[in-house]
Amino acid sequence: MSLKNWDNKTWLSSKKYIRSFNNFLLKQIRLNRDSQILDIGCGRGKILGFLCSSLRLKNKPVGIDIENHKDRDKRINFKKIDAIKYLKNNNQKFDLILIKQTIHLMNFREIKKLISLCKTKLKKDGKILIFSLETSKNEIPTFLLMKKRLINSLNRDKKIILFLSKLYPNIKKKKFSFRVKISTKKYMEMIRNRYISTLLSMSSNQILRGIDEINSSYQKILNFNDKLICLILNK
Ligand SMILES: C[S@@+](CC[C@H](N)C(=O)[O-])C[C@H]1O[C@@H](n2cnc3c(N)ncnc32)[C@H](O)[C@@H]1O
């Protein structure tokens, strides 16, 4: 099962989130109209689309994903391809390579290969920005089984971060946080749509029981911080 509903009408595709995320991005790297940008695992490409408009990019930013969404942003140059395959067969260089909430879907060998290939595709002052869920004090609302799976996944993320920090000792770490306010009803719908990878392997019954659990254990409105770790790598 694939991640089709990640940013399907959730806070992750809201204008407020995209604006706030892009403001954070632009604090980490100086970009202008001439910048060349690549987003690996771009999903619907909303982040790139916003960057394209706000920077008035001369060249459409490139977004790659193994999933092709019908409602993807039209301001991007989209390629439906696996990240490593794309990087191996392309000589274009970029000022920014963004990898947001995608690296955890790969194994360690693929991650090592991916980042070393990305490094060769950077322009002189280019940067790779890798985002993944904050591994400690994560506030994502969960039901019991989801929590167990999320903890396992976050423990693996910790190992990925350590692995990359050892491979690249100059890596920098920053934090991004977004305040989410959403009705429990809407959130239950997101769970039903398996919006996050920890839900993908659950049975329909497990999801239904989880939704009941969320319904009875949370208030009508959910308030929490969606927190990300940002790893920054230079050429
Ligand atoms: C959790 S979503 C994140 C989407 C987007 N970056 C965001 O943060 O809104 C992960 C995305 O990575 C894509 N993906 C997973 N493995 C990939 C690979 N090997 N190459 C390219 N894209 C991949 C998935 O299809 C999915 O759209």
Side-chain angles (χ1 to χ4, degrees):
M1 200 175 272
S2 58
L3 263 179
K4 285 198 176 127
N5 288 313
W6 163 253
D7 57 349
N8 188 8
K9 302 186 185 86
T10 69
W11 71 85
L12 299 152
S13 56
S14 70
K15 280 214 176 89
K16 205 171 164 196
Y17 180 85
I18 305 280
R19 195 177 308 117
S20 158
F21 183 80
N22 278 309
N23 284 343
F24 177 88
L25 269 189
L26 296 172
K27 279 187 196 138
Q28 316 310 321
I29 177 164
R30 204 168 286 157
L31 296 172
N32 58 44
R33 287 195 71 192
D34 297 309
S35 299
Q36 308 262 9
I37 303 170
L38 169 68
D39 185 352
I40 291 178
C42 65
R44 287 176 169 74
K46 300 284 169 206
I47 293 166
L48 277 188
F50 187 97
L51 266 185
C52 182
S53 299
S54 60
L55 293 168
R56 302 212 192 112
L57 291 177
K58 281 187 195 152
N59 303 294
K60 272 190 172 184
V62 181
I64 64 165
D65 204 296
I66 44 175
E67 206 55 71
N68 186 4
H69 299 280
K70 280 199 198 94
D71 54 347
R72 115 180 94 75
D73 201 290
K74 296 292 175 285
R75 292 166 289 184
I76 74 172
N77 179 5
F78 177 79
K79 297 186 194 306
K80 183 180 186 297
I81 187 170
D82 168 79
I84 292 179
K85 212 170 183 181
Y86 171 80
L87 292 165
K88 272 188 177 164
N89 296 306
N90 199 290
N91 290 324
Q92 195 179 344
K93 302 245 170 166
F94 298 93
D95 299 283
L96 165 64
I97 301 181
L98 173 65
I99 312 173
K100 180 173 175 284
Q101 292 177 270
T102 296
I103 210 159
H104 65 291
L105 300 167
M106 300 177 184
N107 65 41
F108 280 67
R109 192 180 44 81
E110 286 168 329
I111 294 172
K112 189 176 174 191
K113 185 83 201 153
L114 177 79
I115 304 304
S116 72
L117 278 169
C118 283
K119 293 258 287 178
T120 66
K121 307 291 171 188
L122 283 180
K123 288 196 186 179
K124 191 171 141 273
D125 293 317
K127 287 182 184 177
I128 306 169
L129 264 61
I130 307 164
F131 289 84
S132 64
L133 284 180
E134 168 67 276
T135 50
S136 58
K137 296 190 189 135
N138 194 288
E139 296 179 16
I140 288 183
T142 52
F143 51 91
L144 212 63
L145 179 61
M146 182 181 173
K147 188 171 188 169
K148 266 192 203 159
R149 302 256 171 114
L150 186 63
I151 289 173
N152 279 344
S153 168
L154 293 176
N155 282 336
R156 185 170 177 276
D157 288 352
K158 272 186 202 160
K159 288 184 190 148
I160 294 174
I161 293 169
L162 197 67
F163 175 68
L164 287 175
S165 310
K166 281 190 179 153
L167 271 178
Y168 302 106
N170 291 332
I171 209 163
K172 282 195 204 111
K173 283 190 202 121
K174 293 273 172 76
K175 289 186 180 183
F176 169 74
S177 179
F178 180 79
R179 186 88 193 146
V180 180
K181 193 176 175 192
I182 183 175
S183 71
T184 304
K185 200 170 158 210
K186 181 103 204 278
Y187 191 67
M188 290 192 298
E189 186 62 21
M190 287 176 65
I191 291 192
R192 207 169 59 76
N193 284 332
R194 301 170 194 260
Y195 83 99
I196 191 169
S197 53
T198 42
L199 300 172
L200 288 182
S201 61
M202 287 188 199
S203 70
S204 309
N205 264 338
Q206 287 172 324
I207 294 282
L208 285 178
R209 264 182 266 137
I211 290 175
D212 277 349
E213 210 180 301
I214 295 269
N215 198 18
S216 54
S217 47
Y218 287 94
Q219 309 262 326
K220 279 198 170 137
I221 300 289
L222 298 171
N223 265 301
F224 63 96
N225 292 301
D226 181 1
K227 298 190 285 187
L228 301 177
I229 295 177
C230 167
L231 302 176
I232 305 177
L233 268 165
N234 297 319
K235 190 166 169 63

